[in-house]
Every structure is written in C-alpha cells, then in structure tokens.
Amino acid sequence: MSVSKTFKDENVYWCDTSGRAPTSSLVNDGFACDVAIVGGGFTGLRAAIELAEAGVDVAVFEGGELGEGASGRSGGQVNPMLTIGKPVDVMRAIGRGYFERLAETALNSADELFGTLKKYDIKCRQRQKGWVRANHSAVAGKEARLNAKAWNRFGAGLEVLGSGADVAEMTGAQGYHSAVHCLSGGAIHPLRLVYGLADVAMAKGAKVFTKAKVSSLESRNDQSTLTVNGHKIRAKFVVLATNAYADNLLTGLKRSFLPLTPIQMATGKLTEQQIKGILPRNHTISDTRRLIMYARREPKNRIVFGGMGYRTPWGTVGGFQWMQQDVARIFPSLKLANWQFKWGGRIAVTDDRLPHLHEAGNGVIAGLGYNGRGVAMSMVMGRVLAQRVLGAKPLDLPFPITTVKPITFQRTQMLGSAVAMGWMRFKDMQEMKKGA
C-alpha cells in the first residue's frame, strides 16, 4: 500500500493508546521463501501464524507501519453477521453447499476471534459483551425481526429488543424504533490486536517486514518474484492480503470492489454526567441506516463514534460535521463533547456484499471484501488463505474460489460518492422523523 505520512503522526486514537509496536525488520537484500504475504494487517498476520505453525517459511511485507491500513484504523467492533440480511439471498449468491459452510463460519467468527486471542494470549482490551444493531424505523424493525428469526434457525442466537425504550435502556441511544442484540459480538483494540498477531507470528518463525512496498509481482511456472524496495524476493506462493488497499499487483483486483471511507472520532475524558447511561454494560452499537453509525465505550470515560465519510477530489476526508450532528442527536449528553481524535480509513465493499477468495494461478491467491465486518471476517479469511496454501480442497472452504471481476463503472461510482451520501443521509433523516 502507498502511504502519505507516518501513521503515528495521524490523529488516530488507537495510535495514542496502542503501547509499543513489535520490532519488525527492513528488507535489505533479496531472498527466497515458501510463502510471501503482501499486507501486514489482520488477514496477512493471521495467515502467517497458521503457516508458520505448519512449518512453512513465510514472510510478511507491509508497505507502511504495522496496522497502517484498514486494520489499525477500524472501529474494532467484532460483529459476526454478514451484511446480507436474508439467509436465502446468501444461498442464491453462492449455492446451498457453500452457504451452509459460510453461514456457520460467519456466525461463529466472533467466537473464533476471541478463541484465537485466548489461545495465543493476546491482550488487546478484548471484551465479548454483545453487539446491539438498532433499527432506525418501523420498516427496518420489521425486516430485522424477520431476518433474526431466519438466522436463528442456523444458530445465530439473536435477541430482539422490541421498543425504542429497550434500546435506550441498554445503550443510551435515543430515537430508535427497536434493535437486535447479537450476544457473541464484542470489541477489541485494533492496533493492539495487530501488534499481538505480529508478535505471535514472529515468535513462530515468520519474518515480518515493514516499510516494505511491493512494487511488482511476476509469476510463472509456479514461481513468483516480488520486487520489494528494489530487492527481488522469490516465493512458491503469494498471498495478497491488502483488502481495500489493493494495488495493481494482480490485474483487476483493485477494480473488483468499491473502496468506501469509514470515519471515526474519539472524545477526550468525559465527565460522569456526560457519559452516564451511554453503553453502560460495554455493548457495542451500530444501526440500520444507509449511512450507519457505530459506537463503543473506552477506558477513562471515552467514547469512540464512527460513521461513513467520503474522500474529496483533493484527497481529504469529509463527513465529520455530519457525524457530530448525528452523535448529538443519538447521545444528547455528548453535544458539547471534545472530539480529540478524528481519522478515516478504507474498506472494500464487493458487488454481492460477500467476501471474495480469488486464485490467479501460479500460486497467487487473494482474499478481500469484508463489507464492514472486517475485524472478525478478516481473521477468518487469513486462516482460510493459509489452509488453501497448505492444500485444503475448495469444497472444504467456507468461501467459493472465484476469478477477479472488476465492478462496472467503479470509477464513476467512486466520483459520485459524496453526492450519493448526501442523498442517503437525507433519506435516513426522513425515515427516522416519520418512524417509517
């Protein structure tokens, strides 16, 4: 991935509270390895651990600092559900066989993540206190109840909060119609998780390189050569774990998703009066609007609040003004809060709203497209990518292996994102006012 300035210099709350970064290496010479992983976030590092445990000689190449991409910028919410509401729609998209495996994998993804943290003794402020998805209107509430009932047939364990008063009592959030409570959801400190995964990977023998920009990839006869900071790295397999920060290493990959821009803010220390009643039981929360919000409570009386922003033609991030208006409506006591940190990232949204697993031949494989469920699903994808490299059969995987397909009119959609978000915001507000 390309970087414009030092990650630590940006106004990211997680950087301010992450503790030490692992001691990584710089690429100073060429060498050969069994597997080269491009991308040092959740996906790449989870794959590296799995491969290193199997005795594979694996090297991870991160173009910036560890966590500088989506992983270290995320909201850190561990949400185990797919973004597609109806099980039948997932089944139509990938077929019954893959649906059963993917449904089980997705519904267990939060438990898998927290189990991984326990297995490797990774400390990242983890908590599994549940996730509340608030319905912004009566129509959204009716659909959510039906979807919860449908997913519960597959073991989702979702609970319905039937009124706005129930939502307010549990979370402090105002103006919602109802909600669905996912008991297995939770939260982690995303940058601490990146650091913890890197520590484990290196302890098991993986090499982790930072500021290691992969500028080219050539593959032929089951052998790949990567150019990293001018040095030639040879590998039998290449795992592309760049998600929304994909470049042109694999033809078409960069154009196979829409790179959207979630933005977040974090307060300074709040007074007891300001934070009273907001997520008192350490649940996380998001909602069903087109332009969603999501929030969590942090130590020292802080709140992290997120939503969807946009990138301007001159490279800056917009949407914080909307978000501050939003938080004042949902949590009125935060109207005058000091939002000390503000930052943005990038997520990959696929055309079918499902994660994609691609194979390009000659040992090159890629996994991406978490559609806003990246913390839990990226860890799953990392494990699955490693298992495929180790010889797992396609029919044993939760994701179908597909070819890369660029999204039609991707650039046009990207250029119109700010206008589209203005329209979506208007529709959301109308529906919430009407209680539609």
Side-chain angles (χ1 to χ4, degrees), residues 48-49 52 58-60 201-208:
I49 292 172
V58 57
V60 178
M202 288 187 285
K204 292 186 176 296
K207 304 178 187 72
V208 177

Side-chain angles (χ1 to χ4, degrees), residues 107-172:
L107 295 176
N108 291 326
S109 60
D111 288 336
E112 178 177 333
L113 183 149
F114 289 109
T116 299
L117 300 182
K118 183 176 181 180
K119 176 181 178 180
Y120 297 116
D121 194 28
I122 295 174
K123 303 293 194 301
C124 55
R125 287 188 185 170
Q126 58 263 45
R127 59 181 187 266
Q128 195 173 14
K129 300 292 186 179
W131 161 44
V132 176
R133 190 167 187 246
N135 303 310
H136 73 285
S137 68
V139 171
K142 180 179 179 180
E143 183 177 5
R145 284 194 299 274
L146 292 173
N147 291 343
K149 185 177 181 180
W151 281 113
N152 280 345
R153 296 191 188 103
F154 298 95
L158 303 174
E159 296 180 346
V160 173
L161 304 179
S163 71
D166 293 334
V167 179
E169 189 278 329
M170 181 175 279
T171 69

Side-chain angles (χ1 to χ4, degrees), residues 38-310:
V38 183
F42 297 149
T43 303
L45 292 169
R46 181 67 186 92
I49 292 172
E50 194 83 6
L51 291 166
E53 284 188 323
V56 174
D57 181 12
V58 57
V60 178
F61 301 96
E62 165 57 46
E65 299 292 344
L66 286 173
E68 188 163 350
S71 298
R73 299 173 184 273
S74 78
Q77 294 194 189
V78 185
N79 300 338
M81 298 293 294
L82 296 168
T83 55
I84 297 179
K86 299 179 178 63
V88 66
D89 290 338
V90 181
M91 194 178 302
R92 289 193 187 111
I94 61 176
R96 177 174 292 276
Y98 274 108
F99 166 76
E100 291 176 354
R101 290 191 294 278
L102 179 56
E104 180 181 9
T105 298
L107 295 176
N108 291 326
S109 60
D111 288 336
E112 178 177 333
L113 183 149
F114 289 109
T116 299
L117 300 182
K118 183 176 181 180
K119 176 181 178 180
Y120 297 116
D121 194 28
I122 295 174
K123 303 293 194 301
C124 55
R125 287 188 185 170
Q126 58 263 45
R127 59 181 187 266
Q128 195 173 14
K129 300 292 186 179
W131 161 44
V132 176
R133 190 167 187 246
N135 303 310
H136 73 285
S137 68
V139 171
K142 180 179 179 180
E143 183 177 5
R145 284 194 299 274
L146 292 173
N147 291 343
K149 185 177 181 180
W151 281 113
N152 280 345
R153 296 191 188 103
F154 298 95
L158 303 174
E159 296 180 346
V160 173
L161 304 179
S163 71
D166 293 334
V167 179
E169 189 278 329
M170 181 175 279
T171 69
Q174 306 297 312
Y176 288 102
H177 177 273
S178 55
V180 172
H181 179 205
C182 177
L183 280 71
S184 66
I188 49 86
H189 186 301
L191 196 52
R192 288 190 180 189
L193 176 54
V194 172
Y195 290 173
L197 292 170
D199 278 333
V200 173
M202 288 187 285
K204 292 186 176 296
K207 304 178 187 72
V208 177
F209 299 95
T210 53
K211 298 181 181 178
K213 171 67 176 176
V214 180
S215 56
S216 70
L217 169 62
E218 297 179 2
S219 299
R220 59 172 62 91
N221 300 325
D222 296 325
Q223 179 76 36
S224 294
T225 301
L226 302 88
T227 303
V228 184
N229 298 348
H231 302 288
K232 300 297 182 182
I233 310 297
R234 299 180 306 282
K236 298 176 184 177
F237 294 93
V238 175
V239 174
L240 299 178
T242 49
N243 198 40
Y245 292 78
D247 48 25
N248 296 314
L249 294 178
L250 178 60
T251 301
L253 190 63
K254 186 178 181 179
R255 295 182 289 115
S256 69
F257 58 86
L258 290 177
L260 299 187
T261 306
I263 55 176
Q264 292 157 83
M265 313 183 298
T267 66
K269 185 176 181 179
L270 299 168
T271 66
E272 292 296 334
Q273 190 62 32
Q274 284 177 306
I275 204 169
K276 183 179 180 181
I278 298 177
L279 301 169
R281 288 177 258 173
N282 262 332
H283 294 94
T284 61
I285 187 171
S286 64
D287 67 13
T288 56
R289 291 177 299 168
R290 296 167 184 86
L291 296 184
I292 69 167
M293 75 83 185
Y294 48 97
R296 57 186 285 179
R297 185 166 174 160
E298 286 296 289
K300 299 182 179 179
N301 282 8
R302 293 176 181 263
I303 294 292
V304 176
F305 191 91
M308 193 59 67
Y310 57 90

Side-chain angles (χ1 to χ4, degrees), residues 311-347:
R311 293 194 176 274
T312 66
W314 44 93
T316 58
V317 175
F320 289 106
Q321 182 178 359
W322 293 354
M323 202 158 65
Q324 286 187 249
Q325 294 170 359
D326 206 31
V327 72
R329 178 187 57 77
I330 297 169
F331 299 117
S333 64
L334 299 184
K335 183 177 182 179
L336 300 179
N338 170 32
W339 295 97
Q340 184 177 348
F341 301 90
K342 295 180 181 179
W343 71 97
R346 208 181 303 168
I347 62 173

